[in-house]
Amino acid sequence: STPPQPETAPHRDCVEALLHHGSDTAIKAIVMNSRIERIGEAKFEAKDLSFPARTLGQLKAMSNAELETFVQNVFASLSAVSSGADKFNSLCYFETLCGDTQMANVFINSSLIGLFVKMLSLKNMPSHICALLATMIGLLLRHATLILPDVQKTNVMQVLVSTTQSDKPTKIRRRAFGCLGELLFYISTQPKADRAQWDVTAAAVEA
């Protein structure tokens, strides 16, 4: 029989091209990464919201005072005594706004992030709402380009670590891991003086 022939250089190049791609070395987002988890598009009923369902375009055209009023209305709706269905509907609407950088910068540094973190930490919060909260927090952390150190006063890092170690469903813990990764990545890319303002715990790094 004919002995096997050594690989030719062109053949090796073709194989290497299939095995490696330039995008493999690019930094990829954790939250909403389809290779990790496919998350369906949020659906909501605008007519059932207790506040007007503003579009991204409308929000971007608002003044700071108008945006503050919008944030207050959302906060009031989610913190009010209401059914789980109403809260879920409001959160589904709000999720559609979290993937925009301009709005993410506003929301992550507002009172809403503290409310989301608090709701996620509640033991009696329904799983489907917790999963949505983790998704929204992750989206804000992923898309925001400015996260003020004051955000850590919400205990976001501690709550995320606690959630990853909880007995909550795998889907929620996985999304909390994603949030934590996005937050740590943001902090690690900041200038040294800014990084020093964040209290990154060993538990967060080891998670």
Side-chain angles (χ1 to χ4, degrees):
S1 60
T2 305
Q5 298 298 311
E7 267 189 324
T8 61
H11 179 69
R12 286 197 302 271
D13 291 342
C14 290
V15 172
E16 289 179 359
L18 291 172
L19 293 176
H20 304 286
H21 190 273
S23 64
D24 293 337
T25 58
I27 296 174
K28 299 178 178 65
I30 303 173
V31 174
M32 285 294 190
N33 186 329
S34 59
R35 293 186 179 184
I36 300 173
E37 180 184 9
R38 292 187 179 275
I39 300 176
E41 183 179 353
K43 296 181 180 180
F44 65 93
E45 291 291 341
K47 62 181 177 59
D48 294 333
L49 296 172
S50 61
F51 52 87
R54 304 300 186 191
T55 65
L56 272 175
Q58 291 172 328
L59 290 173
K60 288 183 174 184
M62 287 183 177
S63 65
N64 289 340
E66 290 172 327
L67 271 177
E68 181 62 29
T69 298
F70 174 79
V71 167
Q72 290 174 353
N73 288 339
V74 176
F75 188 100
S77 173
L78 292 173
S79 57
V81 177
S82 59
S83 68
D86 287 339
K87 280 186 169 58
F88 187 71
N89 190 53
S90 295
L91 290 171
C92 283
Y93 158 70
F94 195 79
E95 185 193 340
T96 65
L97 310 175
C98 294
D100 178 83
T101 294
Q102 181 181 336
M103 289 299 98
N105 285 339
V106 172
F107 299 142
I108 196 73
N109 296 297
S110 75
S111 56
L112 287 173
I113 188 63
L115 178 62
F116 296 159
V117 170
K118 180 180 179 181
M119 291 173 69
L120 179 61
S121 70
L122 296 177
K123 292 184 177 180
N124 62 344
M125 188 61 65
S127 295
H128 66 292
I129 292 182
C130 282
L132 185 53
L133 286 165
T135 300
M136 291 195 319
I137 293 172
L139 283 171
L140 294 177
L141 291 171
R142 170 184 171 180
H143 292 285
T145 56
L146 175 63
I147 305 176
L148 299 176
D150 280 353
V151 168
Q152 62 190 315
K153 293 178 181 178
T154 65
N155 292 323
V156 59
M157 199 173 299
Q158 294 90 328
V159 169
L160 290 175
V161 170
S162 176
T163 302
T164 65
Q165 299 171 346
S166 70
D167 58 357
K168 291 183 177 181
T170 301
K171 178 168 63 175
I172 298 172
R173 290 186 283 112
R174 181 172 56 239
R175 294 183 190 182
F177 270 118
C179 293
L180 194 57
E182 296 285 359
L183 178 56
L184 292 175
F185 176 76
Y186 173 84
I187 296 171
S188 70
T189 58
Q190 299 308 295
K192 185 176 181 180
D194 293 340
R195 292 200 306 270
Q197 298 183 61
W198 288 87
D199 182 19
V200 179
T201 64
V205 176
E206 294 168 359

